Short mmCIF file of all heavy atoms in Angstrom, two decimals:
data_model
loop_
_atom_site.label_atom_id
_atom_site.label_comp_id
_atom_site.label_asym_id
_atom_site.label_seq_id
_atom_site.Cartn_x
_atom_site.Cartn_y
_atom_site.Cartn_z
N PRO L 7 -0.02 15.84 3.98
CA PRO L 7 -1.21 16.71 4.02
C PRO L 7 -0.87 18.20 3.90
O PRO L 7 -1.74 19.00 3.58
CB PRO L 7 -1.81 16.42 5.41
CG PRO L 7 -0.67 15.89 6.22
CD PRO L 7 0.22 15.16 5.26
N PRO L 13 4.83 26.67 -2.13
CA PRO L 13 5.01 27.18 -3.48
C PRO L 13 6.03 26.38 -4.27
O PRO L 13 6.02 26.40 -5.49
CB PRO L 13 5.52 28.61 -3.24
CG PRO L 13 6.09 28.60 -1.86
CD PRO L 13 5.33 27.58 -1.10
N LEU L 45 20.35 31.08 5.79
CA LEU L 45 19.86 32.37 6.26
C LEU L 45 18.45 32.64 5.75
O LEU L 45 17.62 33.22 6.44
CB LEU L 45 20.81 33.47 5.76
CG LEU L 45 20.72 34.84 6.40
CD1 LEU L 45 21.05 34.76 7.88
CD2 LEU L 45 21.67 35.80 5.72
N HIS L 115 30.58 7.32 6.76
CA HIS L 115 30.32 8.57 7.48
C HIS L 115 28.90 9.07 7.20
O HIS L 115 28.18 9.50 8.11
CB HIS L 115 31.36 9.62 7.06
CG HIS L 115 31.21 10.94 7.75
ND1 HIS L 115 31.29 11.09 9.11
CD2 HIS L 115 30.98 12.19 7.25
CE1 HIS L 115 31.12 12.36 9.43
NE2 HIS L 115 30.91 13.05 8.32
N GLU L 173 35.85 14.83 -28.18
CA GLU L 173 36.31 13.48 -27.83
C GLU L 173 36.52 13.36 -26.32
O GLU L 173 36.06 12.41 -25.68
CB GLU L 173 37.62 13.19 -28.58
CG GLU L 173 38.07 11.76 -28.44
CD GLU L 173 39.42 11.53 -29.10
OE1 GLU L 173 39.88 12.41 -29.87
OE2 GLU L 173 40.04 10.49 -28.81
N VAL L 228 21.38 38.59 -35.03
CA VAL L 228 21.47 38.53 -33.56
C VAL L 228 22.95 38.57 -33.19
O VAL L 228 23.76 37.87 -33.79
CB VAL L 228 20.82 37.24 -33.02
CG1 VAL L 228 20.97 37.16 -31.50
CG2 VAL L 228 19.35 37.16 -33.42
N GLY L 237 41.88 40.55 -17.35
CA GLY L 237 42.76 39.66 -18.08
C GLY L 237 42.61 38.26 -17.51
O GLY L 237 41.53 37.88 -17.06
N ARG L 241 45.22 32.81 -13.48
CA ARG L 241 44.73 31.56 -14.07
C ARG L 241 45.45 31.21 -15.36
O ARG L 241 44.89 30.55 -16.23
CB ARG L 241 43.23 31.65 -14.33
CG ARG L 241 42.40 31.88 -13.08
CD ARG L 241 40.99 32.29 -13.45
NE ARG L 241 40.24 31.24 -14.13
CZ ARG L 241 39.46 31.43 -15.18
NH1 ARG L 241 39.35 32.65 -15.70
NH2 ARG L 241 38.81 30.45 -15.74
N ALA L 242 46.68 31.66 -15.51
CA ALA L 242 47.38 31.45 -16.78
C ALA L 242 47.45 29.97 -17.14
O ALA L 242 47.25 29.58 -18.29
CB ALA L 242 48.78 32.05 -16.70
N PHE L 274 7.77 24.44 -18.31
CA PHE L 274 9.07 24.86 -17.82
C PHE L 274 9.78 23.70 -17.11
O PHE L 274 10.74 23.89 -16.39
CB PHE L 274 8.90 26.07 -16.89
CG PHE L 274 10.16 26.89 -16.75
CD1 PHE L 274 10.84 27.34 -17.86
CD2 PHE L 274 10.66 27.21 -15.51
CE1 PHE L 274 12.00 28.09 -17.74
CE2 PHE L 274 11.81 27.96 -15.37
CZ PHE L 274 12.49 28.40 -16.50
N GLU L 296 36.32 25.73 -44.78
CA GLU L 296 36.19 27.06 -45.38
C GLU L 296 35.43 28.00 -44.46
O GLU L 296 35.75 29.18 -44.35
CB GLU L 296 35.46 27.00 -46.73
CG GLU L 296 36.18 26.21 -47.81
CD GLU L 296 35.99 24.71 -47.63
OE1 GLU L 296 34.87 24.27 -47.28
OE2 GLU L 296 36.97 23.95 -47.79
N THR L 356 33.48 36.96 -27.82
CA THR L 356 33.87 37.00 -26.41
C THR L 356 35.34 37.36 -26.35
O THR L 356 36.11 37.00 -27.25
CB THR L 356 33.62 35.65 -25.70
OG1 THR L 356 33.99 35.79 -24.33
CG2 THR L 356 34.44 34.53 -26.32
N ILE L 367 22.74 40.46 -25.39
CA ILE L 367 22.23 39.88 -26.63
C ILE L 367 21.53 41.01 -27.37
O ILE L 367 20.69 41.70 -26.78
CB ILE L 367 21.24 38.75 -26.33
CG1 ILE L 367 21.98 37.61 -25.60
CG2 ILE L 367 20.60 38.23 -27.61
CD1 ILE L 367 21.23 37.06 -24.46
N ALA L 449 16.24 19.75 -12.49
CA ALA L 449 17.45 19.78 -13.32
C ALA L 449 17.37 20.80 -14.46
O ALA L 449 18.25 20.85 -15.31
CB ALA L 449 17.70 18.39 -13.91
N LEU L 451 18.05 23.90 -14.82
CA LEU L 451 19.16 24.82 -15.02
C LEU L 451 20.51 24.12 -15.08
O LEU L 451 21.55 24.76 -14.94
CB LEU L 451 19.16 25.88 -13.91
CG LEU L 451 17.89 26.74 -13.83
CD1 LEU L 451 17.98 27.75 -12.70
CD2 LEU L 451 17.64 27.47 -15.15
#
Side-chain angles (χ1 to χ4, degrees):
Chain L
L45 195 63
H115 181 60
E173 188 185 346
V228 178
R241 298 166 66 222
F274 202 52
E296 296 79 41
T356 182
I367 296 136
L451 300 179

